[in-house]
Amino acid sequence: MKLDFSSEVPIYLQITAGMEDAIFTGAFPENTQVPSTTELSASLQINPATVLKGMNLLADEGLLYKKRGLGLFVAEGAAERIREKRRRQFYEKYVMSLVAEARKLRLTKEEVMEWMERGFSK
């Protein structure tokens, strides 16, 4: 996981996004332990409280669960929940802006769909 200290995105959110991506891509399968706050803070050379804040967000979303005395583990169905979240974000960010711009350009639905088909065929 790489952090961008010059980014406007807070470090704890970058940690959340990095761990979420690792879960989604299978680097951390369901019911496996993720690195501890201490391990992550040492490897990333940042404050453990910052790592904890990011990890707690994942736990709050139900993507991680705590085992007392053992640490954090990936919850069952976490990758699928991330997929659904990303699908919603894709729709809101890309599809809705595409539709808005198409309307401004007075493109028909058929024209947009034709271009989409062309894009998928490349």
Side-chain angles (χ1 to χ4, degrees):
M1 175 181 334
K2 289 191 175 189
L3 301 176
D4 181 358
F5 293 97
S6 64
S7 172
E8 291 183 17
V9 177
I11 299 300
Y12 77 95
L13 290 178
Q14 292 182 46
I15 291 166
T16 300
M19 287 300 295
E20 185 179 280
D21 209 49
I23 293 166
F24 183 66
T25 59
F28 297 115
E30 293 179 0
N31 296 310
T32 60
Q33 188 171 13
V34 297
S36 71
T37 300
T38 304
E39 291 170 328
L40 278 175
S41 65
S43 69
L44 298 171
Q45 299 179 339
I46 58 173
N47 188 313
T50 304
V51 174
L52 183 61
K53 190 172 181 179
M55 299 298 262
N56 280 338
L57 282 177
L58 295 170
D60 292 345
E61 289 181 29
L63 301 176
L64 297 178
Y65 65 92
K66 297 174 185 179
K67 282 189 179 179
R68 188 178 176 127
L70 295 176
L72 291 168
F73 292 76
V74 178
E76 289 199 30
E80 187 56 35
R81 282 195 293 281
I82 294 167
R83 181 182 328 285
E84 288 305 313
K85 175 183 169 182
R86 289 183 176 191
R87 289 175 81 124
R88 282 190 310 274
Q89 289 172 338
F90 179 84
Y91 176 78
E92 293 165 5
K93 184 175 181 178
Y94 297 106
V95 175
M96 291 309 297
S97 64
L98 171 77
V99 169
E101 188 64 19
R103 285 182 174 149
K104 289 179 197 172
L105 295 170
R106 294 189 181 134
L107 293 170
T108 66
K109 177 181 170 183
E110 291 74 22
E111 288 172 309
V112 173
M113 294 304 291
E114 179 184 324
W115 290 356
M116 294 294 293
E117 288 292 331
R118 192 179 334 155
F120 272 103
S121 67
K122 290 186 179 197

